[in-house]
Amino acid sequence: MEKHRNSYLDSPIKQEHREILKGILMKKKGNKKVLTMSGLIGKDAKMYASQNSVVFSIERDKEVFHKQVEELRQYPVVSLNTSMLDFIKSDFVEKVLFDLVYLDYCGPYTRNTEDTLKEVFKKKIISQEGHLAITLALSRDGYQSILSNTDLLNLTCCGDTRYYLENRVKVITATIKSIAKEHHITLLEKHRREYKNPGSKMEMLFLVYSL
């Protein structure tokens, strides 16, 4: 599992995504705050920290968390051993506005993904003219469970499973915008990329929105 994770983090496509987000931060003046999921070697956190940013890096796996802390010791990074959803629900987040929130899930859209997005928009944790980035896997496996446990069909395509399977990206992006709109937030899509990491057959989706 760790080997797979490292190979993904070293992917040239992943590095291109880091550069896109770094470019967004470079355009912002002053000190910035970033919320991300940096993984074992903390490449994302290191890059964003170089842009006058304080980075909050979320890692749920305790072993990976401890290794990440050692890796990022010399950087302005706050590593936290918790889930993204639990962190956003915490009282601490009430006092912070982030210039960039990167939900780098790399897995399929799930109930947890949806609940996290709802909490992001409900608590309005992204600053004015800030950005939201998301990485998801476009897996067809287990789609019945995904659809029965989320609002993907309810908000966009009237319960039509076939429509979802033929238009996964359209349904996912429309759902994200619908959730934001429920909280009076309008998302402007800045980047959309469907891709496969080298050596992988899994279709992936990278999205960046501005508020």
Side-chain angles (χ1 to χ4, degrees), residues 81-139:
N81 184 207
T82 184
S83 71
M84 183 64 79
L85 179 57
D86 285 344
F87 176 68
I88 295 172
K89 282 183 173 181
S90 70
D91 293 339
F92 174 82
V93 177
E94 301 282 355
K95 308 168 187 176
V96 181
L97 284 176
F98 295 98
D99 299 285
L100 170 65
V101 172
Y102 185 13
L103 304 179
D104 191 13
Y105 285 116
C106 307
Y109 186 100
T110 65
R111 185 78 222 177
N112 181 71
T113 310
E114 195 163 88
D115 287 344
T116 302
L117 286 167
K118 288 179 179 179
E119 204 67 22
V120 166
F121 300 134
K122 175 185 174 182
K123 296 186 80 168
K124 295 180 170 57
I125 67 170
I126 302 176
S127 64
Q128 187 175 4
E129 299 182 358
H131 288 75
L132 169 68
I134 308 168
T135 305
L136 295 167
L138 295 172
S139 174

Side-chain angles (χ1 to χ4, degrees), residues 60-201:
R60 187 168 54 181
D61 185 286
K62 187 168 289 187
E63 183 179 351
V64 173
F65 165 74
H66 287 301
K67 291 179 179 179
Q68 182 187 114
V69 169
E70 288 299 316
E71 186 71 31
L72 299 173
R73 191 173 294 278
Q74 297 181 355
Y75 294 84
V77 176
V78 180
S79 295
L80 297 157
N81 184 207
T82 184
S83 71
M84 183 64 79
L85 179 57
D86 285 344
F87 176 68
I88 295 172
K89 282 183 173 181
S90 70
D91 293 339
F92 174 82
V93 177
E94 301 282 355
K95 308 168 187 176
V96 181
L97 284 176
F98 295 98
D99 299 285
L100 170 65
V101 172
Y102 185 13
L103 304 179
D104 191 13
Y105 285 116
C106 307
Y109 186 100
T110 65
R111 185 78 222 177
N112 181 71
T113 310
E114 195 163 88
D115 287 344
T116 302
L117 286 167
K118 288 179 179 179
E119 204 67 22
V120 166
F121 300 134
K122 175 185 174 182
K123 296 186 80 168
K124 295 180 170 57
I125 67 170
I126 302 176
S127 64
Q128 187 175 4
E129 299 182 358
H131 288 75
L132 169 68
I134 308 168
T135 305
L136 295 167
L138 295 172
S139 174
R140 292 180 181 273
D141 296 335
Y143 73 88
Q144 296 97 333
S145 176
I146 292 171
L147 296 180
S148 64
N149 288 296
T150 67
D151 288 328
L152 284 172
L153 293 186
N154 300 333
L155 292 177
T156 57
C157 50
C158 305
D160 189 338
T161 301
R162 184 174 179 179
Y163 180 87
Y164 167 76
L165 291 174
E166 294 175 352
N167 302 275
R168 287 172 296 166
V169 173
K170 184 176 181 179
V171 172
I172 289 170
T173 54
T175 299
I176 292 170
K177 288 186 175 182
S178 294
I179 294 171
K181 191 173 182 180
E182 288 178 353
H183 296 281
H184 311 289
I185 294 172
T186 300
L187 297 178
L188 178 62
E189 188 175 299
K190 307 296 287 187
H191 296 278
R192 179 194 295 192
R193 184 178 190 180
E194 296 176 52
Y195 67 99
K196 295 179 182 177
N197 285 306
S200 174
K201 296 181 180 179

